[in-house]
């Protein structure tokens, strides 16, 4: 398999999870082989995120991450 290197948000940065349609702070990107639990992610990298103001943490396939400005529609964008 020829996977492209991860080029998205880095740990500590805000990230938009397109699969969950949520924005959070990226905590880590891990190779699935490093995980000690059943991750059930289709890709080779798993991203761990937390809400900016606290709450339930979540994980997603790293391929679903985007920089927030790329992933979220802006209310003033005029695109309808």
């Amino acid at each position: 398999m020829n996977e492209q290197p991860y080029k998205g948000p880095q740990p500590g940065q805000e990230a938009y999870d397109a699969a969950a349609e949520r924005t959070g702070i990226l905590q880590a990107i891990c190779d699935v082989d490093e995980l000690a639990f059943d991750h059930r992610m289709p890709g080779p990298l798993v991203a761990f995120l937390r809400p900016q103001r606290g709450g339930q943490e979540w994980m997603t396939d790293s391929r679903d991450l985007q920089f927030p400005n790329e992933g979220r529609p802006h209310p003033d964008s005029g695109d309808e």
Side-chain angles (χ1 to χ4, degrees):
M1 184 185 316
N2 188 10
E3 287 288 329
Q4 296 293 322
Y6 176 76
K7 295 181 182 177
Q10 298 299 306
Q13 292 182 319
E14 190 176 46
Y16 177 72
D17 175 2
E21 298 181 342
R22 296 175 62 182
T23 300
I25 304 300
L26 181 61
Q27 298 300 293
I29 300 277
C30 297
D31 188 288
V32 295
D33 294 335
E34 297 177 62
L35 303 177
F37 57 89
D38 185 5
H39 53 81
R40 298 178 196 250
M41 294 287 161
L45 298 175
V46 176
F48 294 86
L49 296 102
R50 68 170 172 80
Q52 189 166 15
R53 291 185 168 85
Q56 181 68 42
E57 298 170 343
W58 76 98
M59 62 183 184
T60 192
D61 189 312
S62 66
R63 295 175 294 186
D64 291 325
L65 292 185
Q66 301 171 3
F67 289 99
N69 294 340
E70 297 171 355
R72 294 191 292 229
H74 293 281
D76 299 331
S77 67
D79 295 335
E80 296 186 36

